[in-house]
Amino acid sequence: MGQTILLLAQALLASGAAVASPAYDVPTTPNKLGKPLEGFVSYSIEFSSFPEFAGNKSSPNEFSYNLLKNLGSIMGSDPYIRVGGNTQDYALYNASQKEALIGTVDPRRSPDYPTTIEIGPAYFESYNTWPGFKFSHGLNLGLGGNRSTGWETLVETAPLVCKTLEGKLYTWEYGNEPDLFSVSAQGPVRPSTFNESTYVWQWLNGTKEIRSQVKKHCPNMEPKFMAPSFAGRFSELKTWQAGLNADNNVELFSTHNYISGATSPGVTLQGTLMNFGVTKKSVDTHVTSYNGIFGSTGNTSAPPLIFGETNSLYNQGRPGLSNSFGAALWGVNFHLYSASVGFKRVHFHQGTNYRYQAWQPVDTDLATKGTKAPYYGSVAVAALLRNSVAQPVSISNIPLGTDQAEAAYAAHFTKSQKLGRILVINMHSYNTTVDGAGLDPLPQVPERPNKTYTFNVKAADGQLVRVQRLMANGSDAITGITFDGRSYNWELEAGKPVRLHNVTIGETVVVKGGQVTVGLPDSSAAILSFTNSCS
């Protein structure tokens, strides 16, 4: 059924009435702020879910590995994996425990993850199932900063982290969203008087102990940290002024972001996620805060700005929104706008059974194993950055006027200064599904609008430009999604790319009069490649 609807989408592309647009100017030089770090498309995995996402020594999760390697092979560098989230601040260590993790879910506190957690030595096996990847490990500040059992966990696990991850640990993290410790919906772990200066004192105390343990057990390793990992309640400036980096060991300036909440009133796919202005406002808030400390995201002496954790709607997302193709289009826009204003890496958060996840790693009584719509958005972003280690690129936003349901970005090669690719997103909603499911026979649906986008480019007339499309049967679709005619579904080749022969690929357009034009059906995106460096 999903493939049948894909055929309909292709037919609509050819026959839909095109809406013309003005010619948009593409920046002629690389954006100095827009050069990402390696692994720009990265993930944050909930601490309690990591053993399910990664598996263990006897049973590695090859599905997760395949999906991550797909992105790495396209992007030119593997995603970086942050292991953390709320549950890192509930996790206590039990050296005699045989199980990797024992967690108890209290629905009154959170129905989505355990809030009482013990981990054993076997937990660290999971770090060895994805060879070649780099990780960060989240240590418990929530309980470690003010309880003896939490402090003992810090002392006992820091050596395990450094020994297990020597050579593949890209940074450490001590505490997740500590600005919410005194107001957490899952139960406060600090008094109401807990503030920036108190947090900094506890953070410095704990990181000093981590460094001491690492020096003793892994003398060749010098711990560096991502911080402060706030959710937006504390002032990052006040934290920095209070001495967060007094020991000069903050390697990455990490901040967290969600566009809105899963149960927040008025949240819609078109108005909240598929909306350039909403995303821009949300991201710009973090840039303003960072610039208030360091002056500019281009300050090379400051720790790089990253989203250490982000996704669409907090509280693990909402069905019908966060798991839809519209959320995949939002993810493309979020990634690329963030890159254009100076974010160097973006970790999309996920956990077992979460509604906004890129994939479900195992079968449970709540969700089936499989690739989800948001993953395809990550593939499209990786394709825009294609091979960016060998050929670094810089991302620029291309202003498209006042229509908030569309966005476009340019990728320039930083060495040659030439335009390499353009990605354009038509986020106007279009639905041919009922609750995200395809129907056969198809219901009567209106003709799918097709908007034409024209860009002024510095390219030779007659040059062929390759078109790769991110497509589905509608913005609320949760199945039948492809990028460049390929599926990454679990059911086909366990997440490896599979060419679908009922989806057109190999499309090209031609530069004429210094312009290139492409048509996009509503609720779709496309990459235009001006070189032959496509795979």
Side-chain angles (χ1 to χ4, degrees):
M1 289 183 291
Q3 292 183 353
T4 303
I5 294 176
L6 276 170
L7 286 173
L8 172 66
Q10 296 293 325
L12 287 168
L13 177 61
S15 63
V19 177
S21 71
Y24 300 110
D25 291 329
V26 176
T28 57
T29 58
N31 173 15
K32 293 180 179 179
L33 301 180
K35 184 180 177 181
L37 292 170
E38 288 187 13
F40 175 73
V41 178
S42 286
Y43 287 103
S44 164
I45 298 177
E46 188 65 55
F47 190 94
S48 61
S49 299
F50 182 55
E52 293 168 317
F53 272 84
N56 56 33
K57 184 177 180 180
S58 62
S59 183
N61 192 316
E62 294 184 2
F63 174 45
S64 292
Y65 183 72
N66 289 342
L67 292 178
L68 291 167
K69 288 302 291 184
N70 293 338
L71 296 170
S73 63
I74 297 170
M75 188 167 46
S77 57
D78 288 330
Y80 283 53
I81 308 300
R82 177 236 185 190
V83 178
N86 282 356
T87 54
Q88 78 183 63
D89 285 309
Y90 300 132
L92 299 175
Y93 182 65
N94 182 346
S96 63
Q97 179 176 298
K98 293 183 179 180
E99 295 84 358
L101 184 146
I102 298 175
T104 302
V105 175
D106 181 350
R108 296 169 302 176
R109 297 179 71 186
S110 173
D112 292 316
Y113 50 74
T115 49
T116 301
I117 298 172
E118 286 193 337
I119 62 171
Y123 182 92
F124 296 89
E125 282 187 17
S126 296
Y127 283 115
N128 295 317
T129 64
W130 296 342
F133 281 81
K134 293 186 181 295
F135 301 89
S136 70
H137 178 88
L139 292 162
N140 186 339
L141 171 62
L143 302 181
N146 64 350
R147 299 185 190 181
S148 60
T149 52
W151 187 260
E152 290 167 6
T153 289
L154 177 69
V155 171
E156 292 183 88
T157 59
L160 290 174
V161 174
C162 76
K163 290 177 181 178
T164 302
L165 290 173
E166 194 160 14
K168 52 188 175 183
L169 181 70
Y170 75 94
T171 196
W172 300 68
E173 184 178 45
Y174 184 41
N176 171 76
E177 299 179 359
D179 53 326
L180 302 184
F181 281 176
S182 64
V183 296
S184 172
Q186 288 75 43
V189 292
R190 293 292 188 280
S192 59
T193 55
F194 186 66
N195 58 21
E196 289 89 345
S197 60
T198 312
Y199 156 68
V200 167
W201 181 88
Q202 293 183 2
W203 190 86
L204 291 173
N205 189 46
T207 54
K208 180 180 180 180
E209 179 63 27
I210 293 167
R211 296 200 311 276
S212 174
Q213 292 296 328
V214 171
K215 184 177 182 180
K216 183 187 304 183
H217 297 276
C218 305
N220 294 325
M221 183 183 293
E222 178 63 33
K224 298 288 186 178
F225 296 86
M226 69 164 79
S229 302
F230 286 168
R233 183 170 172 267
F234 278 178
S235 162
E236 292 167 334
L237 175 59
K238 287 182 179 180
T239 304
W240 207 260
Q241 291 173 335
L244 182 73
N245 199 29
D247 296 323
N248 195 32
N249 57 10
V250 177
E251 181 179 34
L252 297 166
F253 193 93
S254 171
T255 189
H256 293 185
N257 187 83
Y258 290 86
I259 295 298
S260 189
T263 59
S264 297
V267 171
T268 66
L269 195 56
Q270 182 73 83
T272 307
L273 297 181
M274 296 168 62
N275 186 301
F276 174 79
V278 171
T279 292
K280 180 181 185 300
K281 181 179 179 181
S282 185
V283 172
D284 284 352
T285 298
H286 297 275
V287 175
T288 299
S289 178
Y290 181 88
N291 289 349
I293 302 171
F294 304 110
S296 168
T297 54
N299 182 352
T300 56
S301 65
L305 176 62
I306 69 166
F307 277 124
E309 177 183 321
T310 189
N311 214 304
S312 56
L313 305 175
Y314 61 79
N315 293 139
Q316 293 73 59
R318 184 194 296 182
L321 297 182
S322 301
N323 62 339
S324 71
F325 182 61
L329 297 175
W330 164 79
V332 175
N333 183 48
F334 184 90
H335 269 103
L336 296 179
Y337 183 75
S338 297
S340 75
V341 294
F343 277 87
K344 303 307 181 185
R345 187 176 292 136
V346 176
H347 294 264
F348 263 43
H349 194 56
Q350 54 183 346
T352 306
N353 301 329
Y354 287 9
R355 275 73 65 189
Y356 52 48
Q357 63 190 174
W359 70 92
Q360 169 74 3
V362 293
D363 287 315
T364 70
D365 57 351
L366 296 175
T368 57
K369 187 176 184 177
T371 311
K372 307 302 180 182
Y375 178 79
Y376 288 84
S378 295
V379 171
V381 176
L384 187 71
L385 301 175
R386 185 182 300 111
N387 199 26
S388 58
V389 173
Q391 283 189 306
V393 296
S394 181
I395 305 301
S396 305
N397 175 245
I398 303 172
L400 297 185
T402 59
D403 189 337
Q404 298 302 297
E406 57 187 15
Y409 298 90
H412 286 83
F413 297 120
T414 58
K415 293 179 181 178
S416 68
Q417 309 281 296
K418 292 181 179 179
L419 176 65
R421 291 174 281 274
I422 291 173
L423 187 147
V424 58
I425 320 166
N426 180 343
M427 292 183 287
H428 290 277
S429 63
Y430 178 81
N431 301 315
T432 60
T433 69
V434 175
D435 294 330
L439 299 178
D440 196 4
L442 291 171
Q444 187 67 34
V445 295
E447 186 176 23
R448 189 171 189 169
N450 180 40
K451 184 168 182 179
T452 299
Y453 294 85
T454 298
F455 298 96
N456 296 318
V457 296
K458 282 187 175 181
D461 281 5
Q463 179 178 347
L464 289 180
V465 179
R466 183 181 179 186
V467 181
Q468 296 173 292
R469 295 186 181 273
L470 178 61
M471 292 291 298
N473 50 3
S475 51
D476 73 342
I478 59 174
T479 61
I481 301 163
T482 62
F483 176 74
D484 196 30
R486 289 170 174 80
S487 171
Y488 295 85
N489 282 359
W490 157 251
E491 298 83 1
L492 298 179
E493 291 288 345
K496 294 180 180 179
V498 174
R499 166 81 169 90
L500 300 184
H501 295 287
N502 61 339
V503 183
T504 301
I505 66 169
E507 179 185 355
T508 60
V509 293
V510 180
V511 177
K512 296 180 181 179
Q515 296 182 332
V516 63
T517 298
V518 65
L520 260 72
D522 282 359
S523 299
S524 71
I527 293 176
L528 309 179
S529 294
F530 293 82
T531 70
N532 293 322
S533 60
C534 301
S535 57

